[in-house]
Amino acid sequence: MPSTGMPPTIQCLLIDDDQDDQEIFIMCLESLSDHISCLAKSDGAEAIELFNAHIGYVPDYIFLDVNMPKMNGIECLRLLKNIDRLKSTKIFMYSTISEGDTLSESVKLGAEDFIVKPTKAADLKNRLAAIFKTID
Amino acid sequence: MENFVSPGKSQLNGKIDLYQRMIEEIQDYAILLLDTNGIIQNWNRGAEKIQGYQEDDIIGKHFSIFYLQEDIDTHLPQKLMEEAYGSGRVAQEGWRQRNDGTRFWGSITITALHDDDGNVIGFSEVTRDLTDKKLFEDKLRMSEERYHQMVAEVQDYAIILLSATGVIENWNAGAESIKGYKSEDVLGKNFQIFYPQEDRERGLPEILLTEAREKGKAMHEGWRIRKDGSKFWGTIVITALHNKKGDVIGFSKVTRDLTDKKLSEDKLAAYTAELEVQNSELEQFAYVASHDLQEPLRKIQTFAGLIRERFDDKEFVERYFEKLDASAKRMSELIRSLLNYSRLSKERNELMNESVDLNVILKNVKQDFELMIEEKQAVIVSDPLPTIAGHPLQLGQLFSNLVSNALKFSPSEAKVTLRYSKMPKKQIHDAPYQLNEEYYHCITVEDNGIGFEQQYSKLIFSLFQRLHGKQDYAGTGIGLALCKKIAENHNGFITATSEAGKGAKFSVYLPVSLLA
């Protein structure tokens, strides 16, 4: 990211069909830092459309729900991994349960890790903080 | 022999003597000289050996001495002599008896002897002992007779002799009992009459004959047709029959009726397949139940935590209490739907034979959705529907889900159209499996709603599968999975066709044998 003198803004994209989960995720993310921005899309197809429509858009992180209508998270991950400019974007799966097949399939397709949606907002906050710290 | 040799021809005497010796020494043939009355005049060594008399015992006796009493009673010796007298020669085979009373099978030729003027002056009788050959032939014939009898009377196998072109030439009792035809019904007909129409059309009988011709034999298992049109599961072996040159001169066809075995195998396979389906449904059920029930539960916990954190922010607390409430409602809705779905699986084996008038079912469904119909200014039109044998509650649920889906995904002024037709299976092109029944009730429910892309036409029947976001359209994602199960419980199926934005059409096919 180019230096502007200001701390660089971390750009995140959340793809999740659940409005409540979107709200909680963004709430947790924004509480971590003022330099994190997050865009949310409600399904895989919408996200792919976004990348097709805005060819300059390259988020640093993508958080991807697994169970979504129309295009599920695994299918979406496969398509995202085919977009050249997203090569350095870290993609995390983000789902209610982590089931063996889905977990291994997502790792095989190049997901960084699998985040199980926690029952406490604080746990999600900690998990996200750890991710940004470790990777940065 | 001096009676028959002219003594005047002395130059021939040497040769005649030699000739006479030759006759006398021959051991394998009894050669006798008879006078015109049948009295034995001369006798060779062969006669002695075959018939067991010494020359002294037999010269001067009538040749009928060798014949059995029953042949003498029927005047066989005289008849033979008369025929030899008239025709010059007679040949006969039959039992004769030796001096010691034992019998031998003689092949006899009696030839009339003539003088220079053509008068019969006596007879030669040449006898060969063919007892061994006769006994062997008798044994062979008996064995063949027994074999034919065995083939003819075998009941469990249809054994048929076919010509080289497949024409039925012989037919046993087993064939009659397995195939139901009398032999006079089928002799002369081609064996393909036993094959179902579709096998005849694809040339199966000819394929099997060709295989048998080329490889020596052909084996096959499949459905065959009895005379009364009923089917049986036959396992067959066709074997090519060859002449000494190696040409195929026909075929033997052995058929066994294994219908009972086949049916029990099919039943076992169907049972196994059903168990597999149930197993995989159970796995899917456990997965979706854990996922979809986990979701609202997790949210309730998260919302409760957030409320605790920001308890003083009244507006926040109000909003999150509402969310908490909504999640709890969704949870209870899911549990109710899941129970409903699992009950359907349990009801699968219940008798589906109550008479159900689908017009009444539709009328009740319209009443249930009165409010929604009014709100959406919807119109529901329907063809007259049939009365079928089924499970009234399940069929009610099926119609309720299809109609509510049509209303839910339609704009205001929704139009829901139900069409009915009785369709032959040949006209049904989107069945998920090979259809067994000849005719199906086809009931379609069509709307003018948002529809879906055709690629999702199978996916939408999966448990908890949603094509639209929860915020846009309410629902648990169980409705269509339920419709699929109900159709299957009635031995039918359901299909969906649509184009995004152009409405959806759901077709329910139920076998006509369910007619009440």
Side-chain angles (χ1 to χ4, degrees):
Chain A
M1 260 179 281
S3 172
T4 57
M6 295 280 286
T9 299
I10 299 171
Q11 289 195 55
C12 299
L13 170 65
L14 171 68
I15 308 168
D16 193 331
D17 67 313
D18 192 302
Q19 300 291 304
D20 293 329
D21 283 343
Q22 279 189 14
E23 190 176 322
I24 293 163
F25 187 88
I26 291 170
M27 194 194 293
C28 291
L29 207 59
E30 286 174 347
S31 72
L32 288 177
S33 156
D34 292 339
H35 301 287
I36 297 175
S37 73
C38 185
L39 204 59
K41 287 287 163 194
S42 291
D43 69 62
E46 265 185 43
I48 299 297
E49 265 172 44
L50 172 75
F51 285 110
N52 289 339
H54 302 276
I55 50 168
Y57 176 57
V58 184
D60 302 301
Y61 298 94
I62 296 175
F63 297 91
L64 184 53
D65 186 17
V66 175
N67 288 286
M68 290 185 291
K70 288 190 185 169
M71 186 189 292
N72 69 31
I74 295 294
E75 187 57 32
C76 183
L77 174 63
R78 191 176 286 121
L79 295 177
L80 290 173
K81 280 291 172 187
N82 282 336
I83 299 174
D84 266 0
R85 65 178 193 276
L86 299 181
K87 280 228 161 80
S88 56
T89 299
K90 313 288 179 199
I91 304 178
F92 288 83
M93 304 312 285
Y94 180 58
S95 182
T96 302
I97 55 166
S98 66
E99 181 245 342
D101 285 353
T102 321
L103 189 71
S104 58
E105 181 73 6
S106 59
V107 169
K108 207 164 76 189
L109 288 171
E112 295 295 321
D113 205 351
F114 205 103
I115 305 173
V116 176
K117 291 180 179 175
T119 52
K120 285 182 189 161
D123 291 345
L124 178 61
K125 231 184 281 181
N126 292 339
R127 183 75 209 271
L128 290 174
I131 286 172
F132 296 136
K133 202 171 154 191
T134 312
I135 294 177
D136 288 343
Chain B
M1 295 284 276
E2 31 293 41
N3 294 346
F4 297 92
V5 177
S6 168
K9 295 178 180 173
S10 56
Q11 69 269 40
L12 293 176
N13 275 356
K15 279 187 183 172
I16 289 168
D17 189 45
L18 191 65
Y19 185 71
Q20 190 167 343
R21 275 185 181 282
M22 178 189 81
I23 302 267
E24 279 173 4
E25 299 281 333
I26 283 174
Q27 299 220 5
D28 294 331
Y29 291 85
I31 303 174
L32 282 77
L33 186 66
L34 309 177
D35 68 10
T36 49
N37 294 318
I39 304 296
I40 300 164
Q41 302 293 322
N42 209 336
W43 172 262
N44 75 340
R45 192 161 291 172
E48 208 171 295
K49 190 176 158 198
I50 292 169
Q51 280 143 330
Y53 290 91
Q54 294 300 312
E55 191 172 351
D56 298 343
D57 301 334
I58 204 70
I59 302 290
K61 299 267 170 60
H62 192 266
F63 81 105
S64 62
I65 193 169
F66 309 125
Y67 284 71
L68 306 185
Q69 190 56 49
E70 59 256 40
D71 289 337
I72 293 168
D73 292 345
T74 58
H75 311 292
L76 180 65
Q78 285 87 334
K79 283 178 190 164
L80 293 173
M81 271 188 69
E82 279 163 19
E83 196 175 334
Y85 192 91
S87 315
R89 182 179 172 278
V90 66
Q92 194 254 349
E93 281 194 13
W95 288 110
R96 299 289 186 269
Q97 67 187 3
R98 297 193 186 90
N99 191 18
D100 62 6
T102 59
R103 293 179 178 191
F104 69 95
W105 183 262
S107 167
I108 292 124
T109 307
I110 301 175
T111 310
L113 305 172
H114 301 86
D115 63 12
D116 293 343
D117 300 326
N119 300 313
V120 174
I121 51 171
F123 301 94
S124 71
E125 193 204 58
V126 178
T127 301
R128 194 171 175 201
D129 180 356
L130 294 181
T131 309
D132 290 347
K133 184 169 166 262
K134 165 71 178 165
L135 290 177
F136 178 74
E137 280 175 359
D138 279 358
K139 209 170 154 187
L140 193 67
R141 196 176 52 249
M142 271 170 68
S143 159
E144 274 179 9
E145 276 172 9
R146 274 205 305 267
Y147 178 75
H148 283 300
Q149 203 57 26
M150 176 191 82
V151 169
E153 289 184 13
V154 161
Q155 291 279 345
D156 294 335
Y157 291 83
I159 303 173
I160 302 168
L161 182 68
L162 301 178
S163 76
T165 55
V167 173
I168 301 160
E169 292 187 337
N170 210 332
W171 177 260
N172 76 338
E176 197 170 309
S177 90
I178 291 175
K179 300 182 196 255
Y181 289 93
K182 296 272 178 210
S183 71
E184 58 265 29
D185 298 334
V186 289
L187 293 185
K189 293 199 176 143
N190 195 289
F191 80 111
Q192 55 172 280
I193 57 167
F194 309 128
Y195 288 74
Q197 181 74 23
E198 57 265 32
D199 284 341
R200 287 209 297 264
E201 278 168 12
R202 69 186 176 100
L204 179 64
E206 291 81 7
I207 291 169
L208 293 174
L209 279 197
T210 306
E211 192 183 329
R213 192 175 288 118
E214 287 169 0
K215 296 180 181 167
K217 72 173 175 179
M219 294 192 281
H220 186 255
E221 275 195 19
W223 290 109
R224 301 287 187 270
I225 307 286
R226 292 194 190 93
K227 189 187 178 187
D228 62 7
S230 62
K231 283 183 176 181
F232 69 95
W233 183 263
T235 165
I236 64 143
V237 183
I238 298 180
T239 310
L241 307 173
H242 301 86
N243 63 14
K244 282 182 182 161
K245 284 194 288 177
D247 304 325
V248 172
I249 50 168
F251 300 93
S252 74
K253 178 170 178 282
V254 180
T255 303
R256 197 165 179 206
D257 178 356
L258 292 181
T259 310
D260 290 346
K261 184 168 166 267
K262 166 74 178 163
L263 290 180
S264 61
E265 277 173 6
D266 284 357
K267 208 169 152 186
L268 192 69
Y271 185 63
T272 311
E274 195 181 326
L275 271 184
E276 276 167 13
V277 168
Q278 283 182 2
N279 227 2
S280 103
E281 275 178 359
L282 202 67
E283 270 174 28
Q284 195 198 6
F285 187 83
Y287 173 76
V288 295
S290 66
H291 176 273
D292 284 61
L293 292 177
Q294 186 78 23
E295 199 178 81
L297 194 64
R298 170 180 55 77
K299 280 192 197 174
I300 289 169
Q301 288 172 293
T302 310
F303 296 150
L306 287 170
I307 288 168
R308 197 175 292 121
E309 271 177 31
R310 295 168 69 172
F311 202 66
D312 295 334
D313 184 343
K314 198 175 173 225
E315 198 187 329
F316 182 88
V317 169
E318 284 273 328
R319 215 171 126 245
Y320 273 80
F321 259 130
E322 263 172 39
K323 281 183 182 292
L324 198 142
D325 197 32
S327 288
K329 269 189 193 146
R330 179 163 174 78
M331 177 106 187
S332 110
E333 208 177 297
L334 278 171
I335 291 171
R336 206 172 42 242
S337 304
L338 277 174
L339 278 177
N340 205 348
Y341 184 83
S342 73
R343 199 176 301 130
L344 270 190
S345 302
K346 243 186 352 193
E347 281 169 358
R348 192 182 195 128
N349 296 324
E350 275 186 21
L351 286 175
M352 301 274 164
N353 60 359
E354 264 186 66
S355 176
V356 186
D357 182 347
L358 297 180
N359 299 294
V360 174
I361 294 275
L362 179 63
K363 195 176 144 206
N364 293 340
V365 168
K366 278 185 190 170
Q367 272 170 7
D368 291 345
F369 291 103
E370 213 169 15
L371 205 66
M372 199 169 172
I373 292 170
E374 214 170 282
E375 272 173 15
K376 291 232 170 186
Q377 295 170 288
V379 181
I380 299 180
V381 290
S382 174
D383 284 348
L385 300 174
T387 294
I388 65 169
H391 194 288
L393 282 178
Q394 288 191 15
L395 291 167
Q397 261 183 320
L398 173 74
F399 274 69
S400 171
N401 282 322
L402 290 178
V403 170
S404 77
N405 242 26
L407 291 171
K408 184 163 82 181
F409 294 108
S410 293
S412 59
E413 294 184 12
K415 189 175 180 199
V416 183
T417 312
L418 283 89
R419 296 255 170 260
Y420 167 72
S421 62
K422 189 174 130 182
M423 282 176 93
K425 71 173 176 188
K426 280 183 186 165
Q427 279 180 26
I428 303 171
H429 305 296
D430 51 352
Y433 48 80
Q434 203 180 344
L435 300 177
N436 296 323
E437 303 280 337
E438 287 306 315
Y439 287 92
Y440 284 77
H441 297 294
C442 173
I443 301 146
T444 60
V445 181
E446 206 168 349
D447 62 53
N448 57 342
I450 59 168
F452 54 86
E453 287 165 42
Q454 187 60 28
Q455 55 171 316
Y456 302 119
S457 65
K458 290 204 165 59
L459 201 65
I460 52 172
F461 293 109
S462 307
L463 204 53
F464 291 116
Q465 187 62 50
R466 299 169 51 89
L467 293 184
H468 307 284
K470 289 182 219 107
Q471 69 277 15
D472 303 325
Y473 295 96
T476 54
I478 292 181
L480 287 175
L482 219 81
C483 291
K484 181 171 177 262
K485 189 153 276 294
I486 293 170
E488 286 168 359
N489 284 358
H490 287 80
N491 297 320
F493 58 96
I494 182 168
T495 63
T497 47
S498 180
E499 216 178 297
K502 294 193 175 167
K505 182 167 132 184
F506 290 90
S507 307
V508 179
Y509 296 90
L510 304 174
V512 165
S513 55
L514 287 176
L515 201 61

